[in-house]
Each structure stands twice: as structure tokens, then as C-alpha cells.
Amino acid sequence: MTPALRLYRRVDESLEPDLPPPPGQRLCRTAIAAALTVPSPRLANGDGVRIGLSLAFVGAAAMAELNGQFRQRPYPTNCLSFPAPSGAGPYRQDFLGDIVLAPAIVLREAVEQGKRPADHYRHLLIHSTLHLLGFDHEEAAEAAEMEALETHLLAQMGVADPYQNPDHE
């Protein structure tokens, strides 16, 4: 059973004003909910659990600050995930953590890689949610597992394998 999702979505004031609006609640919820179907120790007792997750869209400069502060890489990136400590909260709600996306970077990558922006957002939302669930890609075996999960979930949504694109970073 997929846990219920409580999504806190925010568009930060740092977002570049000349960009199209970030994806809406429906696209975001659908991609995140797909990732929440993956078995994970974070969701070991998923029946009846309400999952809380925050999602912020920020400008490239704000993303560079976050990336520098938390990953010692002082440049913007497409997405960051900040897992919350595990453990159910009151009323059986588990706050998984925060996802931060930089639309300027996401949209630039989509153009460079020949992807539909909505599909690239779906991929990054699934990718980020898997990080919140405890998946990683530091080792080759971990990366292969995570890519296989992402590819499978995206295929269920009718999205092509993002890793087959030679321009994928």
C-alpha cells in the first residue's frame, strides 16, 4: 500500500522571474507518489502512514548557496535532497525531508538533453524522493539500482529512459 502524501510545495522568491512557472501540484505529487511505491526501510511499516515532504523551487543563485553550504560545491545544481531523521511523528506521519529544485538549471538541461521539461522534472522528483528513502548512487552498484528504479517508474508514466540520452549528466 502506498502511504498517503502530504506535500508542502513552495516557490521561493529567489526564482528567476523570466522562467515559465514550475510544475504544478499534480505533476509533482504523481512523480513523488510513484517513488513512494518502492520498498524502503524508511517505509517499512507503510500501511496507514502519512508521509510529509517539502518541495521548494529556488533560483540558481540560491541553489548555488545551498550546494556550497551542504556539498562544498559552490555552483548551482538541478536538485538537492535533504533527508529528515527517520521515525514516525505524531499521528503516524513521517516527515521524509526536503527536495529543492532549481528550475533555471532543470530547464536548461532539458533543452540541452532534448527532453520535455515536464519529463525532466518527473525524473528529478523521482530521483530526489529515492534519496529521501535512503537510496544513493555513490557506488556503481548503488547507481545501477537507483537508475533501474528511476527508469522503471518513469516508463510507467510513459517517459523515456533518461539514461539512454548521450547528453545526460
Side-chain angles (χ1 to χ4, degrees):
M1 178 178 180
T2 304
L5 173 62
R6 180 173 298 251
L7 179 62
Y8 304 93
R9 183 182 171 278
R10 190 184 104 184
V11 178
D12 192 73
E13 62 190 27
S14 69
L15 193 65
E16 293 81 359
D18 57 331
L19 295 175
Q25 186 86 356
R26 185 175 185 179
L27 183 149
C28 297
R29 289 183 71 82
T30 301
I32 291 166
L36 292 175
T37 65
V38 173
S40 159
R42 287 290 307 259
L43 301 178
N45 187 11
D47 291 344
V49 173
R50 292 186 60 90
I51 297 298
L53 187 150
S54 80
L55 171 61
F57 296 94
V58 302
M63 181 62 95
E65 284 184 42
L66 289 170
N67 203 24
Q69 180 179 354
F70 293 99
R71 296 178 64 222
Q72 292 68 52
R73 298 176 182 172
Y75 50 84
T77 187
N78 52 19
C79 63
L80 289 172
S81 300
F82 299 96
S86 25
Y91 309 108
R92 296 196 48 142
Q93 178 167 340
D94 189 8
F95 185 73
L96 280 182
D98 304 301
I99 295 173
V100 183
L101 293 170
I105 308 306
V106 175
L107 295 171
R108 186 194 77 220
E109 289 176 347
V111 168
E112 290 171 352
Q113 298 172 18
K115 297 176 182 175
R116 293 181 50 229
D119 290 346
H120 196 36
Y121 275 115
R122 285 180 183 96
H123 178 210
L124 295 173
L125 287 163
I126 288 170
H127 180 88
S128 296
T129 304
L130 290 175
H131 276 306
L132 297 183
L133 292 174
F135 292 89
D136 209 342
H137 47 80
E138 294 298 317
E139 304 292 329
E142 294 172 333
E145 178 186 19
M146 201 166 167
E147 287 177 14
L149 289 169
E150 293 167 15
T151 300
H152 173 74
L153 295 170
L154 289 166
Q156 291 180 328
M157 294 181 208
V159 178
D161 181 350
Y163 296 102
Q164 292 301 312
N165 185 324
D167 294 323
H168 178 81
E169 294 179 6

